[in-house]
Structures are given as structure tokens and as C-alpha cells.
Amino acid sequence: FTLSYGYVHNPIVSCDYSHPQNSSVVVGTTKNFDKKHNVNAMLNLRKTFNRFTSSLSFVLMKSFFQYPGLNNVMLRDSKPVIVTNLDVSVSLPKEWLLTTKLYYNWGGDMQMIRIGKESSFDVSLKKTLLNKRLTLSFDAHDIFNKSHAKASWQMNNLTMMQNRMTDTRKLSLSLVYRFREAKSLSVQNAAHKEMSRLKINEDFEE
């Protein structure tokens, strides 16, 4: 479990608004806003059951920030952003490894931007050969093609919307071969020799 907190005193933020007499004219300035707080929390649970290894992660991001809206109404980030990751790995016979990953963003408000829901589902199949020197990997990314992201931003009398639809489906085949094992370097210097002569290392290990 990880928890972090951030505080910014009088942050400088770009402040945009549409001109009241001509809505097509956008005026942009920078100004000091009131204090801003950010709280981030992450919980990761991991467990192995024989051939199955599952990992579940929750990420929560909450910002406390006020900014001007229409008719002098103060807006604030109300809904936290929550992201969930579920990974499941299965060790199959003959050194095959099957891995699935589910990503889901529940959306929320983060520093003046309202984020919509987004999800993806990935599958990976790996095989090791030649005494684990050769690795064959077949990966499928976002097989249900759920990459449809929405976001909105509002300040003063100006509202911007973003609607992104992309085809992120991807298939990949990769081969990795290791020509030799990693070598460990033995470090020898005056300090090591003196500690060895005084048998400090042996006493520490005991």
C-alpha cells in the first residue's frame, strides 16, 4: 500500500475565457489560484496458487482544487480517478506461460479535467526454449477495441470537449535470444582486502 500527499500554495494556472461580446474570441491569461491538494493511493495484492499468479491493483487519485465557472460559480474536482489492473499468469506445461491483463479506468476529475471511462484487455503467450536462452512471445493488445476516451474541461464561460476513438488492437510476435549469461564482476580494492585480512566479512555473515 502506497500513499502520497502533495500541496501547492497559490499555483499558477492558465485561465481562459470566451469574450462576452464575441464568443469566438478566447482570451487566455495566467493567474495565481488558491491552494491545491493532491492525494494518491495505490494498493497492490499479489498471490500465487500453484501454477496461477494473480495481481490486483487499485490506484486512486484525488485532487482538491477550486476554479471559476460560469456566472461566478466556483467549480471543484469532485469525483476521484480510480484505475484498476488485474493480471493473471498461468504456468502451462512445457514451459509455456499465459498472461492476461485487464485495465479499467473508472474516470473522474483530475485538476480541472473530467476524464471518461476507458478499458483494455491484453493476452500474452510465451515459450522458453534452448535452456531459457530463447524466448518466443505472442501478444494481443486491446483485443476488444475499447479505446474510447472522453474528457471535458471547463473554466469561466469556456467549455472544451474531447472525444477520442482509436483502434488500438495490435498483434505482435517477438523472439529474444540471449547469447550468454550475465557475468558478475568481482570487485577488489584496498578496503575489501583489509576487511578480508581482519575477517570482518566472515564475522558479519555469522
Side-chain angles (χ1 to χ4, degrees):
F1 177 73
T2 303
L3 179 65
S4 63
Y5 167 77
Y7 170 76
V8 180
H9 181 65
N10 291 339
I12 300 177
V13 181
S14 175
C15 181
D16 301 329
Y17 62 94
S18 178
H19 198 279
Q21 298 179 357
N22 189 350
S23 60
S24 62
V25 177
V26 177
V27 180
T29 60
T30 56
K31 58 179 291 187
N32 285 98
F33 281 71
D34 197 5
K35 52 188 176 295
K36 180 174 66 174
H37 306 264
N38 292 322
V39 176
N40 299 323
M42 182 181 69
L43 176 64
N44 181 260
L45 304 173
R46 183 179 177 89
K47 183 67 175 179
T48 300
F49 306 92
N50 295 328
R51 292 179 174 269
F52 293 85
T53 300
S54 58
S55 176
L56 180 62
S57 300
F58 293 96
V59 178
L60 183 146
M61 296 176 286
K62 182 69 175 75
S63 62
F64 301 89
F65 187 50
Q66 292 186 351
Y67 46 96
L70 190 62
N71 297 326
N72 296 322
V73 176
M74 293 301 295
L75 304 175
R76 59 178 53 87
D77 296 338
S78 57
K79 183 181 178 182
V81 176
I82 300 177
V83 178
T84 305
N85 275 298
L86 175 61
D87 298 340
V88 178
S89 299
V90 183
S91 298
L92 303 177
K94 298 184 179 181
E95 296 189 356
W96 284 93
L97 179 64
L98 176 64
T99 303
T100 60
K101 180 178 180 181
L102 175 63
Y103 166 84
Y104 195 87
N105 186 345
W106 299 82
D109 302 328
M110 178 55 60
Q111 298 181 15
M112 300 186 298
I113 299 178
R114 176 155 294 179
I115 304 172
K117 297 180 180 179
E118 189 176 9
S119 64
S120 66
F121 182 71
D122 305 337
V123 177
S124 175
L125 184 62
K126 295 182 180 180
K127 167 71 173 177
T128 56
L129 303 165
L130 304 178
N131 294 328
K132 297 184 178 181
R133 286 184 176 270
L134 178 64
T135 302
L136 173 65
S137 178
F138 177 77
D139 302 290
H141 175 69
D142 196 13
I143 60 178
F144 294 128
N145 189 27
K146 291 293 184 179
S147 182
H148 181 195
K150 293 182 179 180
S152 62
W153 178 89
Q154 180 178 352
M155 179 173 284
N156 294 315
N157 61 350
L158 185 65
T159 301
M160 292 192 297
M161 303 288 295
Q162 183 185 45
N163 190 358
R164 187 185 76 242
M165 298 185 66
T166 56
D167 188 349
T168 59
R169 290 174 295 184
K170 180 176 64 176
L171 298 177
S172 63
L173 178 65
S174 60
L175 291 172
V176 178
Y177 182 79
R178 294 187 302 172
F179 289 93
R180 61 183 180 183
E181 298 291 336
K183 294 184 178 180
S184 58
L185 300 178
S186 58
V187 180
Q188 294 291 336
N189 52 36
H192 283 81
K193 293 181 179 179
E194 187 64 18
M195 293 174 66
S196 178
R197 185 182 69 82
L198 298 175
K199 298 182 179 181
I200 295 178
N201 291 337
E202 296 178 2
D203 295 339
F204 179 76
E205 292 176 357
E206 293 176 358

